Amino acid sequence: MKVLVAVKRVVDYNVKVRVKSDNTGVDIANVKMSMNPFDEIAVEEAVRLKEKGAVTEVIAVSCGVTQCQETLRTAMAIGADRAILVETAEELQPLAVAKLLKALIDKEQPGLVILGKQAIDDDCNQTGQMLAALADLPQATFASKVEIVDGKAHVTREVDGGLETLAISLPAVITTDLRLNEPRYVTLPNIMKAKKKQMDTYKPEDLGVDVSPRIKTLKVSEPPKRSAGIKVPDVATLVAKLKNEAKVLG
């Protein structure tokens, strides 16, 4: 069984992002970029399934600029067997990515597709769900445990009241949550091996997909600065301030 794992190149989670002076977006010039942490968990889970013998091949996929090759090399260093880059300079929105992945599912026929539940740059949490709808596949989101049993995926997911376990038939789409696993440390020998692994490159038009944006970002602004706290001498003053200034008491 093949597993397709989607990975996204994002601003590293340790970097403090800055908004561009013209408010058109986030400044990513000369900023450290890395693999989306949730996608790293997805790659790790796919590799673990392969190590258990439930999966025969792990294919990492990324959609975006040429530099996404670095992200795919990292995925192959973790343990993916080969990679596919869908190269485009267009700003890719979740629906466009879902359509590209759907085209690759038709091409590769994987038994399982694993994605991170969301990307830390746009926080959309949409691609996995849109892909499942487009490909007409069962889905299990926010997975905290995945097991392949008798041709089905048993997925434990965290819900408000505790844990929910789903059994879904394969092929299927799974999105990973933070507690699913802890990705392994990438070693230098594996980074060197990853350089020799196969990477195929396509353009969106090769897959017959229109990736033009459907949503326009009007403005990106930083959150307002928090004002400093104050000390009050007594309870009466506190109640008066809550009532008259903060307007939280009737």
Side-chain angles (χ1 to χ4, degrees):
M1 178 171 82
K2 285 184 195 175
V3 176
L4 206 65
V5 187
V7 297
K8 185 176 184 181
R9 179 177 180 264
V10 298
V11 174
D12 190 87
Y13 68 93
N14 291 309
V15 172
K16 189 179 185 313
V17 293
R18 292 189 306 275
V19 173
K20 288 180 183 172
S21 54
D22 58 1
N23 293 105
T24 55
V26 170
D27 187 6
I28 58 167
N30 305 315
V31 168
K32 186 185 178 208
M33 306 291 278
S34 58
M35 190 191 298
N36 179 43
F38 290 106
D39 297 345
E40 215 169 332
I41 291 166
V43 177
E44 174 68 28
E45 193 60 26
V47 172
R48 287 187 189 189
L49 288 171
K50 187 185 173 192
E51 287 168 350
K52 285 177 192 166
V55 165
T56 52
E57 186 181 28
V58 178
I59 308 160
V61 179
S62 193
C63 306
V65 293
T66 313
Q67 290 90 324
C68 290
Q69 286 182 11
E70 297 158 24
T71 313
L72 288 169
R73 294 282 174 212
T74 304
M76 289 192 283
I78 294 170
D81 298 292
R82 61 188 173 94
I84 297 172
L85 170 62
V86 182
E87 195 180 333
T88 174
E90 280 271 14
E91 179 211 339
L92 292 175
Q93 291 169 353
L95 182 59
V97 177
K99 286 178 176 175
L100 291 169
L101 293 175
K102 159 73 167 67
L104 290 173
I105 287 174
D106 294 343
K107 203 176 184 67
E108 294 286 346
Q109 298 292 311
L112 190 60
V113 184
I114 310 181
L115 309 90
K117 70 168 184 175
Q118 65 196 81
I120 60 169
D121 52 2
D122 56 19
D123 271 337
C124 281
N125 176 18
Q126 294 174 335
T127 309
Q129 292 89 324
M130 287 174 166
L131 174 61
L134 289 171
D136 196 22
L137 294 174
Q139 62 174 313
T141 54
F142 316 142
S144 60
K145 187 179 178 187
V146 176
E147 291 175 311
I148 307 294
V149 184
D150 299 332
K152 289 196 169 186
H154 289 216
V155 180
T156 304
R157 54 196 302 273
E158 294 178 4
V159 292
D160 291 342
L163 297 175
E164 173 183 71
T165 304
L166 303 175
I168 53 174
S169 53
L170 301 176
V173 175
I174 294 175
T175 72
T176 62
D177 211 340
L178 213 52
R179 275 176 280 280
L180 178 58
N181 62 51
E182 186 150 335
R184 69 195 67 190
Y185 180 74
V186 178
T187 61
L188 187 61
N190 286 339
I191 292 169
M192 301 312 287
K193 280 180 200 165
K195 290 182 177 176
K196 295 189 176 75
K197 289 184 181 177
Q198 178 187 343
M199 186 185 298
D200 299 318
T201 305
Y202 297 104
K203 293 271 192 277
E205 47 270 28
D206 299 337
L207 301 170
V209 177
D210 173 22
V211 294
S212 49
R214 303 294 187 90
I215 299 166
K216 186 181 178 189
T217 304
L218 300 178
K219 186 182 179 188
V220 177
S221 55
E222 288 192 13
K225 296 273 188 291
R226 287 180 66 177
S227 53
I230 57 165
K231 285 184 179 178
V232 292
D234 51 41
V235 175
T237 315
L238 173 63
V239 172
K241 284 192 174 292
L242 290 173
K243 198 171 184 176
N244 303 325
E245 291 178 24
K247 302 274 194 292
V248 292
L249 293 179

